[in-house]
Amino acid sequence: MRGLLVAALLVGCTGKDTDTELDTDTDTDSDTISGDPIIAVAGERCALDERIGAVTVEHWGGDTASFTALIWDATDPWMGAPSLTNDHCAFHSFDVNSCGRCDAGTVCSVSGECVPERRTVKDFVLVVDQDGSQTEYTPTVDGYAYGQVATGSAMGFELRLGGRAIVMEPASVPSEPLGASLSATGDYDTPGALTASWTDPGDGTRISTVIPINHHAGGPTFTVCEAAASDEGFVADADMVNPLAVITGLEFQGLDHQHIAAAQVDGGCIEFALSRRVLVDVDFPR
């Protein structure tokens, strides 16, 4: 299961709709639905500092894929405006010592203030609709709802939360080959600019990656890149990459080939992603 950080990405949701209010109070009956469903906008993604939840399908090969759903009662206090940006990438940095010591029940925010911890919402139902069959999933004690789906057919999702239904209309896990490659201008410890390239599969998908800081350093410092598949590439500048390659070097985790959708709701944004992981090594010239 990937961490929440590597699921977070750059492009924002569409404008907030005043008819999409919901209450994520954990006492809400998730089976009682009112009003019209909120339809997630295909091709849109939640901004990092707006996202309160995600339904993510991850395919690593074979005939099945795993999915998870996780909802929070607030946005992530570690996520804010990027320090650096270009056409497709953004570098986010965070000083884990900026607050000093925070009291129990609070965490250090990106603004350098101790703020209340956010909590997972455990009163929701995720309905997976595939091949004419609907299956309901509810979260475990850690807040995750999860399961498996077949990758050979389209699937739709309905998230019942706070008395509303948030719907991603049916889509498939991408299957077309990309012929992807990734090259650097430096070495493992000082990579310089990273250039990703691929061939457009012509399916309206998105390509993304999140490059975390080396795990020995820890903390939410990372670079996120995203592009339309039709762009056939992106470049993460050297000053977005070199700060990540500390201690034992760069930890690039591959590309995600995705169908995405996002819904703006009261309190934030909920994202859906059907993702195929494309494992590609970095070509270092020296």
Side-chain angles (χ1 to χ4, degrees):
M1 183 182 298
R2 294 175 68 199
L4 288 179
L5 176 60
V6 296
L9 291 168
L10 176 64
V11 180
C13 294
T14 54
K16 187 173 182 180
D17 183 344
T18 56
D19 292 330
T20 61
E21 294 187 359
L22 56 81
D23 181 4
T24 55
D25 189 315
T26 55
D27 293 331
T28 302
D29 184 356
S30 56
D31 290 324
T32 303
I33 303 299
S34 62
D36 294 331
I38 303 166
I39 306 300
V41 180
E44 294 291 331
R45 198 186 296 277
C46 295
L48 285 173
D49 57 358
E50 293 182 354
R51 200 175 85 160
I52 59 169
V55 178
T56 306
V57 178
E58 290 187 306
H59 182 220
W60 292 73
D63 298 328
T64 60
S66 300
F67 70 84
T68 58
L70 186 66
I71 311 298
W72 297 93
D73 63 358
T75 56
D76 191 338
W78 286 353
M79 298 303 161
S83 303
L84 300 168
T85 62
N86 64 18
D87 289 344
H88 294 109
C89 300
F91 172 71
H92 292 259
S93 61
F94 184 86
D95 180 0
V96 295
N97 298 311
S98 61
C99 293
R101 191 183 190 95
C102 289
D103 293 336
T106 67
V107 295
C108 186
S109 72
V110 70
S111 63
E113 299 176 330
C114 295
V115 299
E117 291 180 329
R118 62 177 185 163
R119 304 289 182 179
T120 56
V121 174
K122 300 179 177 64
D123 185 19
F124 70 85
V125 174
L126 180 69
V127 182
V128 180
D129 188 344
Q130 189 175 34
D131 295 328
S133 176
Q134 292 187 337
T135 306
E136 294 186 359
Y137 298 85
T138 55
T140 58
V141 292
D142 61 0
Y144 283 94
Y146 59 88
Q148 290 192 318
V149 289
T151 57
S153 57
M155 65 198 77
F157 294 94
E158 179 181 281
L159 180 66
R160 299 173 184 168
L161 172 69
R164 300 298 300 272
I166 303 106
V167 174
M168 179 183 180
E169 296 179 335
S172 300
V173 174
S175 60
E176 294 298 319
L178 292 176
S181 64
L182 193 77
S183 62
T185 58
D187 57 26
Y188 189 71
D189 295 312
T190 311
L194 292 181
T195 300
S197 61
W198 58 83
T199 301
D200 179 18
D203 55 3
T205 49
R206 310 287 298 183
I207 310 297
S208 64
T209 190
V210 177
I211 312 168
I213 195 169
N214 185 282
H215 74 280
H216 290 289
T221 292
F222 60 96
T223 290
V224 58
C225 298
E226 196 217 15
S230 58
D231 291 339
E232 296 195 325
F234 58 70
V235 177
D237 300 328
D239 51 2
M240 299 178 175
V241 178
N242 288 338
L244 307 175
V246 296
I247 316 295
T248 58
L250 186 69
E251 295 182 351
F252 183 78
Q253 298 183 350
L255 301 173
D256 286 318
H257 184 196
Q258 300 176 312
H259 282 293
I260 60 172
Q264 195 80 26
V265 300
D266 185 54
C269 181
I270 293 175
E271 182 174 296
F272 298 81
L274 277 60
S275 181
R276 180 171 67 93
R277 175 57 63 89
V278 179
L279 298 177
V280 55
D281 293 328
V282 181
D283 180 15
F284 293 106
R286 64 177 194 271

